[in-house]
Amino acid sequence: MRVLLACLACLMLLVGPRAHAQDVATLLSPSKPKAPEAIALADIPGRADADERYAEEVSLRAARADPLGRLVPRLEAIEKSVADKNGLFAYGELRTLPVLRLESMERHWKFDARQYARWRADMQGLVAPYAQDAAELALRRADWDLTRQGMAPDSTPAALRSRVDAVVARLQQAEQALSSPLAEQIGLGRRANLLAARIQAGQQAVDDAIAYTDRRLFRTDAPPLWRVKDASTLRQDVADSLSREVESENSFVAQYAAADVGNQRLLQGLQLLLLPCLLWVAWRHRRRGVDPAVPVATDAELRVIRRPFSTWVLLSMIGVLVFEPNAPLFLHQLAMLVALVPVLRLMPQQGRRLLGPWPYLASAFYLLQHLAVLLMASAYLYRLYCLALATLALAATCWLLWRSRGERFAGVAGRAGRLVHGLAWVGVAMLLASIVANVLGNVSLAEMLTSGIIESGYFALVLYAAVTVLDTLLRRLGARREVRRLWLMRRHGGNLLESLSRWARWAAVVGWVVYTMVRFRIFRPVYDVGKAIVTHRFEYGELSISLGHVLVFCIGVVLAVWIARTLRAMLREEVLPRLSLPRGVDNSIASLSYYVLLLLGLLAALSAAGFKIGQLAFMFGALGVGIGLGLQDVVKNFVSGLILMFERPVKPGDAVDISGTAGRVRAIGMRATTVRTFEGADVVVPNGMLLSDKVTNWTLVDQNRRVDVDLGVAYGSDVTRVMQLLQETTRGTPGIADEPAPAVLFTGFGASSLDFAIRAWTQRFDDWSTIRSELMQRLHAALAQAGIEIPFPQQDLHVRSVSEDLLHSLRRGPATADREGHDDGR
């Protein structure tokens, strides 16, 4: 059992110091371990062979495998990265670093933590088989030990006793073979736990330094500018710190590129596909010129189409920010710098009228702000540089505001102009505060305000140019004939493009707000407060729920409904009509797909909100009780809907008559079916009625409909001639089918006519009433032309004389008249 205890100790080290014993037991054995049982004498030979084979397999795996061969180099790489960062700065020195450098170090520590988490998961996956083998060997040997203890020397054959001893010895050898890899795993687990503690300590130190820097924003951290002395002295320690920072940043970039984490491959693939597409669009535009089928391109669209390389560079740099949010901060800053030229080249004329020369000034200030790192070795020169940069930015902003007021150019009017003006005045106030803070000695606040104004302004230009490019590409894509033929574009083309453009603009606004909050050092406190509100749990008895769970559930349900509806519409309108399916099958497939996606989306939303699917058994049990008590009709209609979708006795588009309701089936849902009557009303019929009641389906198999016309001709007409004339007229009527052939029947002798019946068929069910009207019109004209009369009902009235006495009685009263009338009758 010592090997089993060693295995347990190894697992405790691997799962971390905070793991519970229950988790270890679960990893060892998914099911509850059974107690040792003695083996029956008759089963000893077969069980011994099986256990010896298993012991041999375990020994071979332990001898040949090298489970830690790939894990040790990875762990050493993480240890080296952690050691390098711990050796750069002492705990107190971190508080002297710029906040951007601290944020970069924070990303580096998080990168190491993610790498360590991946290593830990791989380690647990490799250790689990050995742990399971050790546990299985211990259980089997316990059975054999119990069997050996119960054997009586007098009543048990010696061959069986020796066989039992041999199996126990073989199992012990297999356990000894596992000792070596388990010992290596225990040692590696100890190193991993120590590394995890170092990573956590490094992250905490950087977090403390960032919090200290944020608190220092409202404190005076330098003497007033007029009291500063030794302005020309360069601090060698600051220069050495800068060189170490650059070296550490380069190491982080190299590690990130070698780790292949995040969406690097996806981003590279999109970049490789995007450039040929942009070049093809530009070539096609130059070759075809003005296409009458495509709307005339605006100035913004022409800039994007004619400058594919600038467009590609801008979108690629935006892709770095979007797809790799955890990349080194140096890569993000480099992407922003590379995007500077494309932003200026792709700025539309409308933006130039709105902003004037601000894009060029903002780009210049952004470059100057990043050049300030060259003067950080001298605190005095760096402070003067920040003061001069803030003063220049203030002067440029005031000049732009004065220029816009004096020239009254187009950008001043409208909502966008008022917004730009308002932001410009906010920038003026912050730049004034930065200058005052720098002069009075609050250099940290001054640096934050200046860099925040400049970087947020430049980032707004980048996002504006990116949204313009995306909007242009979407519109040009939507103008393509191949795209316009799609059902989605035919139905919702304009609204869809407008919605995508609107979402892109909102995403840009949200991204700019977040970036600005980060630059002005208010994102962390706002995020912490929001996180505390969202994660706060409301508990009532055993029920525990948070606002975050509710939000996640609501968002998951909305996404599930949207995805299900979109897929159902695409299946009905675009995919299924292209397939050779029987009528009604496409509706069943689309409807079932819709409800399946809704169910899966609901389960996914519940799971994302923190509910375990297995814990929903109580709810399903309560639902079963509710079904048994009062939801029989709902379940009946639901099951009937499933039967209707699979058997398809009624399909959308069928003409039906349900309990006196005649119309066409519009949609078959899971609970009810909607019927559009011929009078224009929508009737909701429960699905259970479609299966339990008598339903007349006129179009179940085909669109045939019999047309019946009854008429009569005058007595004396030639019956044979009349039947021949009716037959010919019926056959010549448009819409009357040749098969089955029309039939003319002589049905009888009426009171005033010879009666005939016409039985004809049409394959156009929707027009059968119009065809019947046309047939009756032709029959009337044919009979009139042949001189055959269609009689109308007649009745002969015979009048006889009445005596004078009866007339006199009628004048006296009805009773006397009746009595005298009876007397006359006698």
Side-chain angles (χ1 to χ4, degrees):
M1 299 296 291
R2 290 177 297 177
V3 177
L4 178 59
L5 293 177
C7 176
L8 288 173
C10 177
L11 287 174
M12 289 294 293
L13 290 172
L14 289 176
V15 298
R18 298 181 180 179
H20 299 286
Q22 183 179 359
D23 299 332
V24 179
T26 303
L27 183 60
L28 280 174
S29 179
S31 59
K32 185 178 181 179
K34 62 179 182 178
E37 297 180 357
I39 303 172
L41 294 179
D43 297 335
I44 288 178
R47 176 72 180 273
D49 294 338
D51 288 356
E52 282 187 341
R53 284 195 302 268
Y54 178 74
E56 186 65 24
E57 293 173 359
V58 171
S59 299
L60 292 176
R61 284 197 297 268
R64 298 176 181 176
D66 185 15
L68 305 181
R70 293 175 297 174
L71 294 177
V72 173
R74 290 172 55 188
L75 185 63
E76 291 177 349
I78 301 174
E79 288 176 338
K80 183 179 182 304
S81 176
V82 171
D84 292 341
K85 286 192 293 294
N86 286 331
L88 284 176
F89 305 100
Y91 182 82
E93 292 178 340
L94 291 176
R95 300 189 173 188
T96 63
L97 298 178
V99 67
L100 287 179
R101 178 64 188 125
L102 291 175
E103 291 178 348
S104 179
M105 291 188 66
E106 182 185 26
R107 292 193 178 194
H108 201 169
W109 281 113
K110 289 182 178 179
F111 171 78
D112 288 340
R114 288 192 298 272
Q115 293 294 98
Y116 174 78
R118 293 176 59 185
W119 181 92
R120 173 72 72 180
D122 295 341
M123 180 67 177
Q124 291 180 356
L126 291 175
V127 168
Y130 292 93
Q132 293 174 359
D133 287 340
E136 183 65 22
L137 287 173
L139 291 175
R140 296 193 182 197
R141 191 162 64 85
D143 291 344
W144 287 106
D145 290 338
L146 186 61
T147 303
R148 184 168 54 180
Q149 294 174 4
M151 285 183 173
D154 298 336
S155 59
T156 304
L160 291 180
R161 291 198 303 270
S162 61
R163 182 64 172 150
V164 170
D165 294 338
V167 173
V168 172
R170 188 68 190 90
L171 291 175
Q172 290 177 347
Q173 292 176 3
E175 289 178 346
Q176 293 297 327
L178 283 176
S179 299
S180 178
L182 286 175
E184 295 178 3
Q185 293 164 8
I186 290 174
L188 196 62
R190 291 174 178 173
R191 290 176 56 183
N193 290 334
L194 181 60
L195 179 61
R198 292 176 179 175
I199 292 175
Q200 185 176 1
Q203 289 180 313
Q204 186 62 42
V206 174
D207 291 340
D208 294 342
I210 293 177
Y212 173 79
T213 303
D214 291 341
R215 292 193 301 269
R216 197 175 59 182
L217 292 175
F218 303 98
R219 300 176 183 176
T220 302
D221 53 359
L225 191 61
W226 60 85
R227 294 182 181 178
V228 177
K229 298 180 180 180
D230 297 330
S232 60
T233 303
L234 297 179
R235 295 179 57 186
Q236 186 62 33
D237 57 342
V238 176
D240 296 339
S241 175
L242 289 176
S243 62
R244 286 181 293 172
E245 292 176 13
V246 172
E247 181 180 357
S248 176
E249 196 69 23
N250 293 334
S251 175
F252 183 21
V253 172
Q255 292 176 18
Y256 184 83
D260 192 19
V261 296
N263 301 314
Q264 296 183 31
R265 293 187 180 274
L266 176 61
L267 178 61
Q268 293 171 1
L270 292 177
Q271 291 173 347
L272 292 176
L273 291 176
L274 183 61
L275 182 58
C277 294
L278 293 175
L279 292 175
W280 178 78
V281 171
W283 171 80
R284 189 181 183 89
H285 177 76
R286 294 192 189 97
R287 182 181 178 184
R288 293 195 172 185
V290 179
D291 189 353
V294 179
V296 179
T298 61
D299 173 73
E301 294 177 351
L302 290 177
R303 288 178 180 271
V304 173
I305 294 173
R306 294 175 180 176
R307 297 170 179 176
F309 287 101
S310 297
T311 302
W312 179 76
V313 171
L314 177 61
L315 293 181
S316 299
M317 298 303 101
I318 294 295
V320 172
L321 302 178
V322 173
F323 289 98
E324 298 189 42
N326 298 319
L329 194 60
F330 173 76
L331 292 181
H332 284 185
Q333 293 177 341
L334 181 62
M336 294 278 287
L337 289 173
V338 172
L340 190 147
V341 175
V343 166
L344 297 178
R345 286 176 57 84
L346 297 174
M347 184 65 59
Q349 191 65 29
Q350 180 182 2
R352 296 175 186 273
R353 290 196 302 268
L354 177 66
L355 301 175
W358 172 248
Y360 299 96
L361 293 176
S363 303
F365 284 127
Y366 186 77
L367 283 176
L368 293 175
Q369 196 267 334
H370 279 77
L371 291 176
V373 69
L374 301 177
L375 299 176
M376 292 189 68
S378 173
Y380 181 74
L381 293 179
Y382 179 75
R383 183 175 178 181
L384 288 181
Y385 187 87
C386 292
L387 179 63
L389 189 62
T391 304
L392 286 176
L394 177 63
T397 306
C398 293
W399 173 71
L400 288 174
L401 290 173
W402 175 83
R403 181 175 181 268
S404 64
R405 180 182 179 183
E407 297 185 4
R408 305 294 299 176
F409 56 86
V412 176
R415 183 183 303 175
R418 291 192 296 270
L419 178 61
V420 171
H421 255 61
L423 293 177
W425 282 112
V426 172
V428 168
M430 289 187 175
L431 289 173
L432 282 174
S434 174
I435 294 173
V436 173
N438 195 330
V439 173
L440 295 180
N442 195 340
V443 181
S444 299
L445 179 61
E447 179 187 4
M448 183 270 291
L449 292 176
T450 304
S451 62
I453 288 294
I454 294 175
E455 293 189 7
S456 62
Y458 175 73
F459 190 63
L461 292 177
V462 174
L463 292 179
Y464 178 71
V467 169
T468 302
V469 170
L470 290 176
D471 184 69
T472 298
L473 295 179
L474 287 175
R475 294 186 182 278
R476 303 309 293 182
L477 179 63
R480 299 291 305 163
R481 293 190 183 93
E482 298 81 0
V483 177
R484 291 201 303 268
R485 292 184 188 137
L486 298 176
W487 164 82
L488 195 61
M489 296 300 297
R490 291 197 309 268
R491 289 283 188 88
H492 312 284
N495 295 332
L496 178 62
L497 294 177
E498 183 62 28
S499 299
L500 291 176
S501 300
R502 189 184 304 111
W503 279 107
R505 290 192 291 270
W506 276 109
V509 171
V510 172
W512 180 80
V513 171
V514 172
Y515 183 85
T516 303
M517 293 174 65
V518 171
R519 294 276 67 84
F520 283 101
R521 314 303 305 156
I522 60 176
F523 179 77
R524 285 178 179 271
V526 172
Y527 177 79
D528 293 338
V529 172
K531 183 179 179 181
I533 294 175
V534 170
T535 58
H536 178 71
R537 289 185 173 271
F538 300 92
E539 297 183 356
Y540 182 78
E542 296 183 357
L543 178 63
S544 177
I545 194 171
S546 65
L547 180 61
H549 291 160
V550 176
L551 292 177
V552 169
F553 176 76
C554 294
I555 294 174
V557 170
V558 171
L559 287 177
V561 172
W562 182 79
I563 293 174
R565 288 181 176 177
T566 303
L567 180 62
R568 180 177 61 179
M570 292 183 64
L571 289 175
R572 282 181 174 176
E573 304 293 340
E574 193 67 27
V575 178
L576 296 177
R578 302 176 184 270
L579 304 177
S580 299
L581 298 175
R583 193 169 66 89
V585 175
D586 53 349
N587 177 76
S588 299
I589 294 176
S591 299
L592 289 175
S593 301
Y594 172 75
Y595 290 110
V596 168
L597 279 179
L598 278 185
L599 178 60
L600 294 178
L602 178 62
L603 294 178
L606 289 172
S607 178
F611 293 95
K612 294 183 179 180
I613 305 302
Q615 295 177 350
L616 300 178
F618 175 77
M619 185 183 70
F620 290 133
L623 182 61
V625 175
I627 291 173
L629 294 178
L631 300 179
Q632 299 94 333
D633 292 337
V634 175
V635 176
K636 174 185 176 182
N637 293 327
F638 179 80
V639 176
S640 299
L642 294 177
I643 295 174
L644 289 175
M645 290 182 183
F646 282 105
E647 292 189 356
R648 302 190 308 280
V650 177
K651 299 176 285 294
D654 284 350
V656 296
D657 189 347
I658 307 171
S659 299
T661 301
R664 284 194 174 273
V665 177
R666 293 189 60 184
I668 300 176
M670 295 300 293
R671 189 196 64 84
T673 297
T674 304
V675 178
R676 180 81 167 183
T677 64
F678 297 118
E679 291 80 14
D682 288 330
V683 179
V684 179
V685 181
N687 290 332
M689 184 179 295
L690 297 178
L691 294 182
S692 60
D693 294 352
K694 179 181 177 180
V695 178
T696 301
N697 191 342
W698 293 94
T699 57
L700 177 61
V701 178
D702 50 37
Q703 296 290 319
N704 294 342
R705 171 68 186 257
R706 197 177 77 176
V707 179
D708 297 338
V709 177
D710 297 328
L711 56 84
V713 299
Y715 277 96
S717 302
D718 187 351
V719 175
T720 303
R721 183 186 175 195
V722 171
M723 295 182 66
Q724 183 180 3
L725 180 62
L726 296 180
Q727 183 76 21
E728 293 175 356
T729 304
T730 303
R731 285 183 178 273
T733 302
I736 297 298
D738 296 333
E739 186 65 31
V744 179
L745 305 176
F746 182 27
T747 58
F749 301 95
S752 58
S753 63
L754 300 175
D755 296 334
F756 295 87
I758 301 172
R759 302 292 183 261
W761 290 86
T762 179
Q763 296 177 351
R764 294 155 49 185
F765 178 85
D766 295 336
D767 300 331
W768 77 272
S769 58
T770 304
I771 294 173
R772 184 176 184 273
S773 176
E774 178 71 15
L775 175 59
M776 295 177 67
Q777 180 181 356
R778 287 172 174 266
L779 291 173
H780 181 271
L783 292 175
Q785 185 178 3
I788 301 174
E789 181 183 358
I790 300 177
F792 51 86
Q794 298 181 4
Q795 186 174 3
D796 294 333
L797 180 63
H798 301 277
V799 181
R800 63 186 181 88
S801 61
V802 182
S803 62
E804 293 295 335
D805 295 336
L806 182 59
L807 289 175
H808 181 69
S809 301
L810 288 173
R811 292 191 185 101
R812 287 185 296 174
T816 305
D818 291 341
R819 185 170 59 254
E820 293 182 358
H822 288 299
D823 294 339
D824 292 341
R826 289 196 299 272

